[in-house]
Amino acid sequence: MTVKKKDLIYEGKAKRVFSTSDETHLITEFKNSLTAFNAKKKGSFEGKGSINLKITTMLFDYLKKNGITSHFVENIDDENMVVKKLKMIPLEVVVRNRAAGSFSSRFGLKEGSVFENPFTEFYYKDDGLNDPLLTEDHILTLKIATQNEISKLKVLSLQINQLLKNYFRQIDINLVDFKLEFGKDATGEIILGDEISPDSCRLWDSNSGERLDKDRFRRDLGRVEESYRIILSRMTNLRNEK
């Protein structure tokens, strides 16, 4: 499809969103910036936006082939994609397969501990409040989503988790945890939005245990760009083999 970028309507930590000549679609531009701790720590590297766009595109294509609808339509170039316009639900849905990050800190579990069953957590998407953890009762009281919508988000997120675990297993990567965002399309259907990339996932090499995600930036581990490129390279090789 042919759409033209118009006005900037939102700028986040890693992306800019523009209106288009078609009111039912938007253009998402992936930035080279890196942030952590609610943007208190900042950095960047050249080509980061392009890497995340390519990774997100391949994962959205894979999910689509397996029955998961997203807002992704097509790429315009290496940093811009056309997406369906959604009314975003102000929740971050985190799926956890292993203990890591804030979960380990909160409950004193050793990082890498495998959960018998993966589970979801909800966070209120509000930078000013530092994205607080929410219970389902909080979500209902704040009228962020209905009980049926909460159930839908949980089911979708766990379906996506199983698919992504299977995908990353093929390229020798363990999916530790990841964040998803959802929105409603013009018909009111809840579909996957935002992105899936090393910015929003914890991805550990299944042989060495090496972290290949934004934790390298958070924790000053170095080789951030190299790790993102490793993920993209493995995914590209897998696609080319098929």
Side-chain angles (χ1 to χ4, degrees), residues 9 40 92 113 135 147 155 157 228:
I9 58 176
K40 291 180 176 67
E92 296 180 350
S113 301
T135 67
Q147 187 62 64
V155 168
S157 296
Y228 278 53

Side-chain angles (χ1 to χ4, degrees), residues 5-240:
K5 184 184 288 188
K6 294 180 69 178
D7 300 321
L8 176 67
I9 58 176
Y10 171 79
E11 180 164 5
K13 293 184 281 289
K15 295 182 293 297
R16 298 184 184 96
V17 180
F18 295 84
S19 62
T20 71
S21 50
D22 177 350
E23 64 180 20
T24 62
H25 292 85
L26 302 170
I27 290 175
T28 298
E29 176 189 297
F30 285 67
K31 298 160 58 176
N32 290 333
S33 57
L34 271 166
T35 65
F37 313 119
N38 202 15
K40 291 180 176 67
K41 181 176 183 179
K42 297 180 181 180
S44 67
F45 65 82
E46 189 65 30
K48 185 253 188 181
S50 175
I51 292 170
N52 276 3
L53 178 141
K54 290 172 183 175
I55 290 172
T56 295
T57 298
M58 282 190 273
L59 293 176
F60 279 166
D61 280 341
Y62 165 74
L63 291 173
K64 182 179 180 180
K65 290 174 183 176
N66 286 277
I68 302 294
T69 303
S70 78
H71 68 162
F72 173 67
V73 178
E74 65 181 11
N75 291 337
I76 298 174
D77 54 35
D78 284 346
E79 294 181 348
N80 293 272
M81 65 166 54
V82 180
V83 298
K84 298 174 187 175
K85 188 175 184 179
L86 301 180
K87 182 179 181 182
M88 297 303 293
I89 300 169
L91 292 173
E92 296 180 350
V93 186
V94 174
V95 183
R96 298 191 183 275
N97 296 302
R98 300 181 180 218
S102 64
F103 191 92
S104 290
S105 299
R106 276 183 276 140
F107 299 107
L109 284 178
K110 180 181 177 181
E111 286 204 313
S113 301
V114 179
F115 298 125
E116 185 174 348
N117 296 300
F119 62 91
T120 58
E121 291 181 331
F122 294 99
Y123 294 82
Y124 189 26
K125 189 171 173 59
D126 188 318
D127 288 343
L129 299 174
N130 292 315
D131 303 329
L133 178 67
L134 296 174
T135 67
E136 292 189 21
D137 283 342
H138 291 153
I139 296 171
L140 293 171
T141 299
L142 295 170
K143 302 188 186 306
I144 297 170
T146 66
Q147 187 62 64
N148 285 340
E149 290 169 343
I150 293 170
S151 298
K152 174 77 170 178
L153 292 171
K154 292 172 70 172
V155 168
L156 271 175
S157 296
L158 291 173
Q159 287 176 343
I160 292 168
N161 179 53
Q162 190 58 55
L163 289 168
L164 292 182
K165 281 172 63 178
N166 293 341
Y167 178 91
F168 283 116
R169 192 177 295 119
Q170 297 177 77
I171 55 175
D172 297 323
I173 290 173
N174 289 323
L175 178 61
V176 174
D177 59 34
F178 62 103
K179 182 262 296 181
L180 298 172
E181 295 183 29
F182 296 88
K184 297 179 183 179
D185 66 11
T187 68
E189 180 185 2
I190 293 176
I191 65 173
L192 178 63
D194 196 43
E195 67 175 299
I196 305 175
S197 75
D199 274 10
S200 58
C201 305
R202 282 191 172 90
L203 303 167
W204 296 359
D205 183 275
S206 58
N207 297 310
S208 67
E210 184 177 15
R211 300 167 191 265
L212 300 171
D213 54 69
K214 196 166 73 170
D215 267 352
R216 302 202 69 85
F217 174 69
R218 290 187 187 99
R219 303 185 181 194
D220 296 317
L221 299 176
R223 298 174 48 240
V224 180
E225 178 179 351
E226 179 184 344
S227 297
Y228 278 53
R229 292 191 182 278
I230 286 171
I231 297 292
L232 177 59
S233 176
R234 292 190 192 182
M235 291 176 62
T236 302
N237 290 339
L238 178 63
R239 181 188 62 189
N240 292 341

